[in-house]
Amino acid sequence: MTSKASNNNSGNNTWDSKTQTFHGGQEHFFIDNFVEDFSVTTNYLGTPKKALEAARIAMGQIHHYPAANQEPAKSRLAEFLWPKNFAEHHGRLLMGNGASELIDLVVRKALDQARERGIKNPTWKGGPWNVQYQEYQRSAATNGFKILDPSSKERADMICIVNPCNPTGDYLPIEEIKGWLEQNVAPKGTVMVDESMQLWHSADFRADSLINQHEFMLSMLERDQVSVHVMHSWTKIWSCTGLRVGSVICPTAQHCEALKKIQVPWSVNGPALKFVEAVVKDDEYLNKTWENTSRLRAHLISELEKIKGFKQQGWVCHGEPFLSWVWLDVRSDEVATKAVDLARAAGVPVRSGKPGYGCNTFVRIAVREEHQAAILISAWASL
């Protein structure tokens, strides 16, 4: 059986290239022999069953508006983030329709603040990676920020870092990222740190996260009037990308209220709120995630290393051992294109590094179970 998307470059026809930034996860619409999606970095376990059932039940209430204050889902999420003192930080938390909505809110607020200070052309910088999730830069550019190269030594009015970096797999431990933020943001500037993939770190993920660095956030605010925001897209760790759930942790409750003023009401729908309310209680799901993801990732790499082209062409696997994907450099634009086509034809699409990222010799491969990975490895036997 062949793929309906055999001549389609990574599902690009689902995007308006003039107005939107390419994102993976669209090809299943076009593959008639679809088996598994290796193009998205979602949890290999799939959607948690209890939370999915809670969302299904909530569909029976869609004739009612969802809670405008996002409760009790927001309180349950706060308890998940800060198990010991969630009440202290609850006011700094805001949920949104995926992280993308919240990214745009913070960017718009940062632009207003920069122009209030008389800065006509505020600057934005990502990094320090050569590429990262593109929504931050897209929103900044759309709202009029001047985009600086990640290698620039200039302090920017707004800096955004994805840590761990999707797609490259780079990661800065907590003390290193704090140092990078201090060295790269301009006084009175705005910071966004995306920790969506940091949840895979371990059961002790909070210890190496900005979640528990409120004193640092306050010191940045008091010393340099820099506001630090921590972003989470919850759709990867809990494999619910179609539901659209994100959150932002602001430096203070006042910052959170300022975002809420420009957020459209009811941006998080009822089934999504019920999903979150249930999923944060699913300890078994997260424990399985932490127990098995690193093992499955190591297995995937060991199988990749058996492919003839791996040694002959010097392929390189990038990324931290705990991550839910492998960023693979096959050292050739032609080989990367062939790898993407072969995977798609076998019903197991991977993410090309070319559209969106401009990394023509790279492909991103999600961590999946051994029997699913075997299909991909078999498809690549001729590489």
Side-chain angles (χ1 to χ4, degrees):
M1 189 173 288
T2 58
S3 165
K4 295 176 184 175
S6 58
N7 295 315
N8 172 39
N9 184 15
S10 298
N12 270 332
N13 63 339
T14 61
W15 296 90
D16 181 349
S17 60
K18 294 180 180 179
T19 60
Q20 296 176 311
T21 300
F22 178 79
H23 193 288
Q26 302 287 295
E27 293 181 79
H28 62 282
F29 290 116
F30 308 100
I31 298 177
D32 54 12
N33 61 332
F34 177 76
V35 178
E36 179 58 48
D37 196 349
F38 282 79
S39 75
V40 291
T41 55
T42 48
N43 198 317
Y44 84 94
L45 287 168
T47 310
K49 294 180 180 179
K50 293 179 182 178
L52 181 58
E53 182 59 23
R56 284 184 176 137
I57 293 172
M59 286 295 293
Q61 299 296 316
I62 61 171
H63 56 294
H64 294 301
Y65 281 101
N69 62 359
Q70 306 173 346
E71 295 293 356
K74 188 168 78 167
S75 289
R76 299 296 85 79
L77 182 58
E79 290 174 3
F80 172 79
L81 291 168
W82 303 284
K84 295 181 180 179
N85 57 347
F86 77 93
E88 176 185 344
H89 301 295
H90 177 274
R92 300 195 293 125
L93 180 66
L94 183 65
M95 296 174 64
N97 184 21
S100 296
E101 180 201 13
L102 300 168
I103 290 167
D104 200 57
L105 291 180
V106 176
V107 169
R108 286 161 51 199
K109 193 63 181 176
L111 179 65
D112 289 343
Q113 292 171 341
R115 289 183 171 166
E116 286 173 3
R117 303 196 310 270
I119 302 175
K120 293 183 179 180
N121 297 297
T123 54
W124 178 96
K125 182 167 67 171
W129 336 117
N130 64 318
V131 292
Q132 63 181 19
Y133 176 53
Q134 292 290 293
E135 186 61 23
Y136 291 91
Q137 181 171 327
R138 184 210 64 80
S139 182
T142 299
N143 282 283
F145 279 81
K146 176 185 176 183
I147 308 301
L148 303 179
D149 189 84
S151 62
S152 172
K153 299 299 182 183
E154 181 181 343
R155 290 178 178 268
D157 299 300
M158 185 172 207
I159 60 173
C160 302
I161 179 171
V162 180
N163 190 53
C165 179
N166 194 353
T168 69
D170 292 296
Y171 182 63
L172 290 182
I174 190 62
E175 293 304 321
E176 291 184 31
I177 195 168
K178 285 160 63 176
W180 185 86
L181 298 179
E182 291 177 317
Q183 295 163 14
N184 285 276
V185 65
K188 301 182 180 180
T190 301
V191 171
M192 279 195 283
V193 180
D194 187 324
E195 290 193 348
S196 299
M197 312 311 292
Q198 204 269 345
L199 281 298
W200 269 272
H201 183 279
S202 67
D204 296 324
F205 71 91
R206 297 172 186 84
D208 204 45
S209 164
L210 281 171
I211 290 172
N212 282 337
Q213 293 290 324
H214 191 210
E215 289 186 5
F216 168 75
M217 295 170 76
L218 287 180
S219 70
M220 292 282 282
L221 187 63
E222 293 168 358
R223 186 186 65 210
D224 298 317
Q225 294 180 268
V226 168
S227 57
V228 179
H229 303 75
V230 183
M231 289 285 179
H232 288 101
S233 169
W234 298 108
T235 61
K236 302 300 192 301
I237 190 69
W238 287 316
S239 194
C240 59
T241 53
L243 204 55
R244 315 307 307 138
V245 182
S247 67
V248 58
I249 301 169
C250 299
T252 68
Q254 290 72 34
H255 285 81
C256 193
E257 290 172 1
L259 294 182
K260 199 182 302 183
K261 285 182 179 179
I262 59 173
Q263 182 183 37
V264 297
W266 306 297
S267 69
V268 186
N269 64 61
L273 290 172
K274 285 298 181 183
F275 181 94
V276 172
E277 188 180 341
V279 79
V280 293
K281 305 173 188 175
D282 198 338
D283 295 334
E284 181 182 1
Y285 182 90
L286 285 180
N287 286 333
K288 284 184 178 179
T289 300
W290 295 319
E291 288 169 7
N292 295 311
T293 302
S294 294
R295 174 183 61 80
L296 291 172
R297 188 179 188 277
H299 172 78
L300 174 60
I301 292 174
S302 70
E303 293 300 297
L304 287 169
E305 290 172 345
K306 296 176 184 177
I307 297 174
K308 179 177 62 176
F310 195 100
K311 290 185 178 179
Q312 291 183 352
Q313 300 167 26
W315 296 5
V316 180
C317 294
H318 297 269
E320 292 291 316
F322 63 83
L323 291 175
S324 63
W325 75 92
V326 173
W327 184 233
L328 176 66
D329 185 359
V330 298
R331 304 291 192 169
S332 162
D333 192 333
E334 181 181 353
V335 173
T337 299
K338 186 177 180 181
V340 170
D341 289 342
L342 288 172
R344 187 186 302 121
V348 285
V350 296
R351 170 70 153 90
S352 169
K354 188 173 184 178
Y357 295 126
C359 298
N360 296 2
T361 68
F362 284 81
V363 291
R364 191 186 65 194
I365 314 164
V367 170
R368 295 293 183 255
E369 295 189 70
E370 291 95 339
H371 70 280
Q372 296 166 327
I375 300 171
L376 176 64
I377 297 302
S378 176
W380 284 357
S382 61
L383 292 176

